Amino acid sequence: QVQLVESGGGSVQSGGSLRISCKASTYTLDMGWFRQAPGKEREGVAAIYSDHSTTYADSVKGRFTISRDNAKKTYYLQMNSLKPEDTAMYYCATDLRCSWGNALLTSCYKSWGQGTQVTVSS
């Protein structure tokens, strides 16, 4: 099973930017980013496929960008114009078991990282 390690989380003020990374132990076709705030369910943020197709949650469209570096087996989530409501633990996940149309569903992924905390202060 592929191992995933997130990094790059931290604290930033509202309106700021942050880039988080997910390093995979092997090449993966797909990668999704998810987040979970205290007391809330985990939700899909963005996903990318091997052909560089991407999909985003409405709440982050125009602010977040997912990308991949196949040579480094690393996946990125660039987060701009951050808001306090973006505060959450962010997880990457791979091994999509559903169609691409469901790429933001947590139940569709088999392998998960441990998460990296992102905190946005107002």
Side-chain angles (χ1 to χ4, degrees), residues 41-108:
E41 292 188 356
R42 192 171 298 188
E43 63 176 0
V45 176
I48 189 167
Y49 198 63
S50 58
D51 62 357
H52 293 272
S53 296
T54 58
T55 186
Y56 295 92
D58 288 343
S59 59
V60 305
K61 279 181 182 176
R63 299 189 300 122
F64 290 12
T65 302
I66 188 171
S67 62
R68 59 191 295 158
D69 184 330
N70 291 335
K72 295 182 178 179
K73 293 177 287 188
T74 302
Y75 304 79
Y76 304 98
L77 187 66
Q78 177 68 44
M79 304 180 290
N80 299 329
S81 302
L82 282 161
K83 306 174 181 179
E85 50 263 45
D86 294 317
T87 295
M89 185 72 79
Y90 282 72
Y91 300 88
C92 59
T94 192
D95 198 1
L96 179 66
R97 298 304 179 94
C98 305
S99 63
W100 181 246
N102 293 314
L104 294 184
L105 294 182
T106 58
S107 59
C108 287

